[in-house]
Amino acid sequence: MLTLPLVERPEIRRVLCLGAHCDDIEIAMGGTLAAFAAQRPDVEFRLCVLSSDEVRAAESRRALAQLMGDHPNWHLEIECFRNGHFPWHGSNIKTHVETYKNFEPDLVFTTCRDDHHQDHRTLSELTANTFRDHLILEYEILKYDGDLGNPNVFFPLSDKQLTSKIDMLMASFPSQQHRQWFTRGTFEAMARVRGVQSASPTGFAEAFYSRKLTLA
């Protein structure tokens, strides 16, 4: 499999990570984000979550602070658009997402357009609307809806990176641990399946979708 060292590319100086809810970014790409931050202290990260209450916002702040470690230049914004109602508040959310253009990101992470959760799907559509000439990587989140697809971009995780990610999730989000899918086994199984699909040398990976990519 051809490997493209995206994290090392010097022209990537600003990274925007969008999540519909607190824990979306951490669950889907916590390992990738932590590795990226550790390798690129020169990159500016902007992390934006569009829906939360006070409890989950506090959980996400703790989790993301752990993932980012001592990175010198990252910023977290948490908004309070109504959970589960993004399609019906699309105009206001679109106006807000448009403000992220001022950040001028070189790389954008967002939710997947084929995700069956209406908030995730709406955010993905608005991301594509807003950043039409950017590299966008859409992440995945396992859930009851059964909407997993066949991703085409993978980021290998070492045993240590995966363990650190799962430890962070289990320690940081007590409000979610009543959910039947929120388990160590679930998170490890997802990483193992994507590791198999990508022939990851470590056996584990996080996965993304790239809808459009130009090779030059």
Side-chain angles (χ1 to χ4, degrees), residues 141-199:
I141 301 175
L142 177 64
K143 65 181 76 65
Y144 175 77
D145 306 83
D147 54 8
L148 292 180
N150 291 304
N152 54 10
V153 180
F154 302 89
F155 190 92
L157 299 179
S158 68
D159 287 342
K160 182 178 180 181
Q161 288 171 326
L162 179 61
T163 298
S164 294
K165 169 188 171 175
I166 296 175
D167 286 347
M168 173 275 299
L169 291 171
M170 302 312 295
S172 298
F173 294 100
S175 72
Q176 302 304 298
Q177 294 192 21
H178 67 284
R179 300 183 184 279
Q180 54 88 16
W181 55 267
F182 200 97
T183 67
R184 298 188 70 91
T186 296
F187 302 130
E188 182 171 341
M190 277 293 298
R192 181 65 181 131
V193 168
R194 297 322 189 192
V196 169
Q197 288 182 303
S198 59

Side-chain angles (χ1 to χ4, degrees), residues 4-64:
L4 301 175
L6 180 67
V7 171
E8 301 170 15
R9 296 188 69 88
E11 63 267 38
I12 295 181
R13 303 303 298 263
R14 289 178 296 276
V15 175
L16 177 64
C17 302
L18 302 178
H21 316 101
C22 289
D23 78 13
D24 285 352
I25 294 171
E26 297 92 325
I27 289 173
M29 53 170 290
T32 301
L33 180 60
F36 208 141
Q39 293 178 53
R40 293 293 304 275
D42 58 313
V43 168
E44 182 179 359
F45 290 88
R46 187 171 179 181
L47 316 174
C48 304
V49 179
L50 296 185
S51 177
S52 182
D53 57 31
E54 291 184 6
V55 171
R56 297 193 68 190
E59 292 176 339
S60 200
R61 289 189 184 98
R62 288 195 300 269
L64 288 168

Side-chain angles (χ1 to χ4, degrees), residues 16 18 94 97-98 100-101 105-108 113 124-136 211-214:
L16 177 64
L18 302 178
K94 177 176 174 57
V97 171
E98 291 278 346
Y100 299 146
K101 288 195 292 188
D106 303 302
L107 172 61
V108 180
R113 75 178 68 180
S124 182
E125 291 171 356
L126 292 176
T127 303
N129 256 184
T130 303
F131 300 100
R132 298 186 60 83
D133 194 31
H134 294 70
L135 175 58
I136 299 174
R211 304 292 174 172
K212 189 175 293 188
L213 176 66
T214 300

